[in-house]
Amino acid sequence: MVKASSHSRRTQAERSESTRTALLKAGRRLFSEQGYARSGQEAIVAAAGVTRGALQHHFGTKQSLFVAVYEEVEQEVVASVAEAAMAIGHDHPLEMLRSGCQAYLDAVLDPTVQRICAVDGPAVVPTDIRQDITDRYALGLVRETVRHAVEIGEIRDTPVEPLTRMLLAGLLAAAQYVATAPNPRVARVEAGESVDLLLASLPR
């Protein structure tokens, strides 16, 4: 029996990763442009230039592919939010919160984020999986900022965990409001004002 060389194994791994990346890219484009329901498996594999068997091998189902795309987009959005918050500086955690929340609402104006995360996401991705993704990418960022704000006295002394979860839930609701509004840009302004009003109530 001839053993596969390390070079051959690397090549196989690279091909596998290339196929997975192509499926994610094609799925992301179609889900964004056409929505989940109208993006058929045949259209996805054709756009990716792979076989239907490749989709089944890497993701199993169209829904699982959508979940992977949803997580990818959420991760990118949270990264941009973190960047906006960090630009303020750690000495002003409440302003970091405000900047991060406003950056998240700005991100929802992107048609891809609107469709995948705010419109189709709640309908397609099971609640427990969406919560897990939120917890892994966004919750820790908000929690640490709230904790620091409480520690230095920018926010009145209060339990950190419930406040963190309430702020994050409110932000997600505001983002969905923006994404599903008849005029998202008008809704973005309204949601931004509401976020500022909420955060203004937190200082001592």
Side-chain angles (χ1 to χ4, degrees), residues 50-72:
V50 301
T51 65
R52 186 165 185 156
L55 173 62
Q56 294 172 343
H57 172 74
H58 286 278
F59 297 100
T61 64
K62 184 179 79 166
Q63 183 184 23
S64 295
L65 172 62
F66 182 87
V67 171
V69 170
Y70 173 89
E71 180 171 356
E72 180 180 74

Side-chain angles (χ1 to χ4, degrees), residues 133-147:
I133 291 171
T134 298
D135 288 354
R136 280 189 285 120
Y137 295 113
L139 184 63
L141 178 66
V142 178
R143 181 190 291 122
E144 289 309 308
T145 308
V146 169
R147 177 179 289 119

Side-chain angles (χ1 to χ4, degrees), residues 20-68:
R20 187 177 189 279
T21 299
L23 284 164
L24 284 169
K25 184 177 180 180
R28 180 172 177 150
R29 180 173 64 80
L30 290 173
F31 293 144
S32 173
E33 294 175 355
Q34 301 181 17
Y36 177 80
R38 295 178 60 193
S39 300
Q41 290 190 26
E42 294 300 334
I44 292 170
V45 298
V50 301
T51 65
R52 186 165 185 156
L55 173 62
Q56 294 172 343
H57 172 74
H58 286 278
F59 297 100
T61 64
K62 184 179 79 166
Q63 183 184 23
S64 295
L65 172 62
F66 182 87
V67 171

